[in-house]
Amino acid sequence: MAWLLVVLAGLLETGFAVCLKLSHGFTRLWPTLAFAVFALGSFGLLTLSLKKLDVGPAYAVWTGIGAAGTAIYGMIFLGDVVSTLKIVSITLVICGVIGLQLSGSSH
């Protein structure tokens, strides 16, 4: 259950990163409010998961999901440049996330 919270927190991190861009420096109301909701949700779920998980693997999985998710979202929906190197790198991040999740012990 704790790992599920980390995964959900990572997905919310993707949401807050995208909304941060869409807020244009917090000058647009709705993306700014969405950023706040996603950020609070992401940090809240990560906090709950850390009651059961080691901080290193949990934090790395959280940031890895957020980074990979944000890069993928940007390429699909925001017109970010797509390249073979970028796709290979995202794949490596995802492989690292899986490895860290498998290595993480719970209390």
Side-chain angles (χ1 to χ4, degrees):
M1 183 63 167
W3 280 114
L4 178 62
L5 294 178
V6 173
V7 170
L8 292 174
L11 294 173
L12 291 175
E13 183 186 3
T14 296
F16 83 67
V18 170
C19 288
L20 189 59
K21 176 173 179 58
L22 298 176
S23 76
H24 290 269
F26 299 125
T27 61
R28 294 185 174 167
L29 178 62
W30 295 114
T32 299
L33 292 176
F35 161 79
V37 169
F38 284 129
L40 288 172
S42 181
F43 286 113
L45 291 176
L46 180 63
T47 299
L48 291 174
S49 73
L50 290 177
K51 290 180 179 182
K52 300 278 185 189
L53 300 174
D54 292 338
V55 69
Y59 182 76
V61 169
W62 176 69
T63 58
I65 291 170
T70 302
I72 291 166
Y73 187 95
M75 288 187 293
I76 293 171
F77 298 108
L78 300 177
D80 289 358
V81 175
V82 179
S83 69
T84 301
L85 182 57
K86 190 179 280 190
I87 292 169
V88 169
S89 298
I90 291 169
T91 302
L92 290 171
V93 169
I94 292 169
C95 288
V97 165
I98 293 168
L100 285 166
Q101 190 276 335
L102 293 174
S103 75
S105 62
S106 59
H107 296 106

